[in-house]
Amino acid sequence: MKITSVKTILLKWECPVMSDALSVCTARQALLVKIETDTELYGIGEAFCYGSPLHVGRSIVEEQLAPMLIGQDPEQIENLWQTMYWRTIANGRRGVVMAAVSGIDIALWDLLGKMLKAPISTLLGRHQDRVPAYASGGFYAPGKSLDGLERELEGYVKKGYSAIKIKIGRNPHMPHNAIRYTADQSFGVSYEEDMRRLETARRILGKGKLAADINAAWTPMQVLAARKDFARVGLDWLEEPVRFEDREGCRMLVREMPGISLMGFETEQGLSNFTHLVEDQMVDIVQPDIGWGGGVSELVKIGAMALANHKPVSLHSFGSAIHFAASLQVAAALPNTECIESEENENMLKSGILTTPFEADEHMNFYVPRSHGLGIELDWDALEQYVIL
């Protein structure tokens, strides 16, 4: 079998306005990668690009990386990963180039699963059939009050979630808050309002796990100043409170907040960089993204490295159905999976492009799809309405 083409499919869906600490989202997008062969089999993956222009990713995939793959044996996934990495070493290693490599790698694993008639998790040596998940929501939105947040979180608990993550940190009047440099500072809140948001979440959630995501908008000293409030509301996990480049800041937070697990970093990439995070004691829970951090191949290595250092893993997942399916397959194979992110915002690129939706038990542990490759079947007619040229 040989690879005959590497194509991209660009998707976009106009969504209800929402925001985290820094960014305002008005549309969801996805950069899909389709690898075709000289047989009827193909593989599909997703390069997660954090809102960068989709045509940039398309150019990297189709013009820079595809020529390295055409005519090659798709079973040689590790060889192809290393080829893409080293031939782009001067302008790659991080950023959208690594995202493109990640999307291609996912597609290759999907193809391999179809060739061998097994899901990716089986090829990796599945550890579990169901993956625990936390509800990822609690975003800011125009006119969204504490009552609106309360109703949202009550819905998650009713579904069966016992762990929830909400956004905090959108504080335009806080000194040195990074939102001051963003294009849109709408519907920001005060620090006190954010603490009320956490109090509301804890009251609705009860004794379950509560996480807050700051998206690196605060400084280390601002995070430390909030630790008494975090302890008062019973915060369990704190995601990306500061930039991962701030090594001393991250180490200080891990050291000075022993009752709260620092989770990160979705924006970091590659095994060597995650190894530095772990060895430098900058995180408590390792949180890579499969469509950004290196694909299936690299995330398995990151998971093994974390296991060797007694660190749990929680995969970040904020993309399309392809991204979530790939995350489930890898999470199911890692013995140190703590949980997986289950986005609960309305997202038609996740919920509206499959013939069969993802399934979970009464406690929102997601069943790992058992069909070949990613284990999902795309509804190509439904997907077509979101395709952009």
Side-chain angles (χ1 to χ4, degrees):
M1 182 184 293
K2 300 296 182 183
I3 297 172
T4 57
S5 70
V6 182
K7 301 176 180 177
T8 56
I9 304 170
L10 279 52
L11 305 181
K12 186 175 182 180
W13 174 67
E14 303 292 336
C15 68
V17 178
M18 62 179 186
S19 74
D20 56 25
L22 295 181
S23 60
V24 175
C25 180
T26 60
R28 304 301 297 270
Q29 63 181 35
L31 174 63
L32 306 188
V33 178
K34 186 179 182 182
I35 295 180
E36 297 176 330
T37 68
D38 54 4
T39 73
E40 75 283 358
L41 296 179
Y42 67 88
I44 196 82
E46 179 176 353
F48 191 70
C49 298
Y50 284 98
S52 67
L54 291 177
H55 288 84
V56 173
R58 164 174 278 176
S59 294
I60 293 170
V61 170
E62 296 186 354
E63 297 178 32
Q64 186 174 19
L65 298 176
M68 307 175 195
L69 305 176
I70 303 301
Q72 300 301 312
D73 180 356
E75 292 187 54
Q76 296 185 0
I77 299 177
E78 184 62 30
N79 181 281
L80 295 176
W81 197 100
Q82 295 294 335
T83 297
M84 291 186 288
Y85 180 84
W86 287 104
R87 291 190 189 178
T88 62
I89 195 73
N91 71 329
R93 290 183 276 186
R94 291 181 184 266
V96 181
V97 174
M98 180 57 75
V101 171
S102 303
I104 289 172
D105 183 81
I106 294 169
L108 288 170
W109 277 96
D110 181 47
L111 175 59
L112 182 64
K114 291 170 180 174
M115 291 167 56
L116 300 179
K117 299 184 179 350
I120 293 170
S121 56
T122 296
L123 302 181
L124 298 175
R126 188 185 309 111
H127 180 262
Q128 54 192 347
D129 293 320
R130 283 177 284 185
V131 177
Y134 65 86
S136 177
F139 280 65
Y140 304 93
K144 184 176 180 180
S145 64
L146 285 176
D147 289 340
L149 177 65
E150 181 173 345
R151 289 191 297 271
E152 176 188 348
L153 301 185
E154 285 175 341
Y156 302 158
V157 172
K158 187 176 181 179
K159 275 190 172 184
Y161 284 108
S162 59
I164 292 175
K165 182 178 78 179
I166 71 168
K167 299 292 185 179
I168 64 171
R170 192 171 179 80
N171 317 120
H173 300 297
M174 177 184 286
H176 311 297
N177 190 297
I179 192 177
R180 301 171 69 184
Y181 302 104
T182 62
D184 189 345
Q185 301 176 18
S186 303
F187 42 91
V189 303
S190 66
Y191 169 86
E192 291 75 17
E193 178 75 3
D194 265 342
M195 293 307 108
R196 287 191 287 271
R197 287 164 52 81
L198 286 175
E199 291 167 358
T200 298
R202 173 52 71 196
R203 176 169 52 82
I204 299 301
L205 183 58
K207 295 182 179 180
K209 294 282 189 179
L210 177 60
D213 184 1
I214 302 180
N215 292 104
W218 287 4
T219 68
M221 295 311 297
Q222 288 167 337
V223 177
L224 283 182
R227 59 183 161 177
K228 289 185 179 179
D229 287 325
F230 290 156
R232 175 175 53 81
V233 300
L235 188 67
D236 297 290
W237 302 327
L238 183 60
E239 179 182 334
E240 203 174 28
V242 299
R243 295 176 299 113
F244 64 75
E245 295 92 343
D246 188 349
R247 295 194 174 193
E248 180 52 39
C250 289
R251 283 194 293 266
M252 179 174 64
L253 296 181
V254 169
R255 185 173 61 247
E256 299 296 330
M257 298 195 303
I260 300 172
S261 295
L262 196 155
M263 184 158 56
F265 282 83
E266 67 189 63
T267 46
E268 185 57 286
Q269 296 172 291
L271 172 63
S272 60
N273 294 317
F274 273 96
T275 300
H276 290 315
L277 291 181
V278 170
E279 291 182 344
D280 289 351
Q281 296 298 313
M282 296 168 60
V283 294
D284 297 300
I285 301 174
V286 179
Q287 188 194 32
D289 182 288
I290 198 165
W292 176 257
V296 174
S297 298
E298 197 77 342
L299 260 67
V300 169
K301 297 169 190 171
I302 292 169
M305 177 276 299
L307 178 65
N309 287 275
H310 313 290
K311 300 287 187 184
V313 170
S314 176
L315 299 192
H316 173 263
S317 185
F318 204 74
S320 77
I322 289 88
H323 190 285
F324 189 67
S327 300
L328 272 180
Q329 294 290 340
V330 170
L334 300 180
N336 51 334
T337 289
E338 176 89 2
C339 56
I340 191 172
E341 180 171 22
S342 174
E343 185 199 354
E344 284 289 336
N345 300 305
E346 185 180 3
N347 181 6
M348 293 303 295
L349 302 187
K350 182 179 179 183
S351 62
I353 63 173
L354 298 182
T355 59
T356 303
F358 297 105
E359 296 182 350
D361 64 19
E362 68 273 18
H363 302 297
M364 296 309 294
N365 301 300
F366 278 85
Y367 294 102
V368 182
R370 300 301 294 271
S371 298
H372 305 161
L374 290 172
I376 57 175
E377 183 177 349
L378 292 174
D379 183 336
W380 289 99
D381 289 334
L383 183 146
E384 184 64 31
Q385 65 184 304
Y386 307 116
V387 173
I388 59 174
L389 299 178

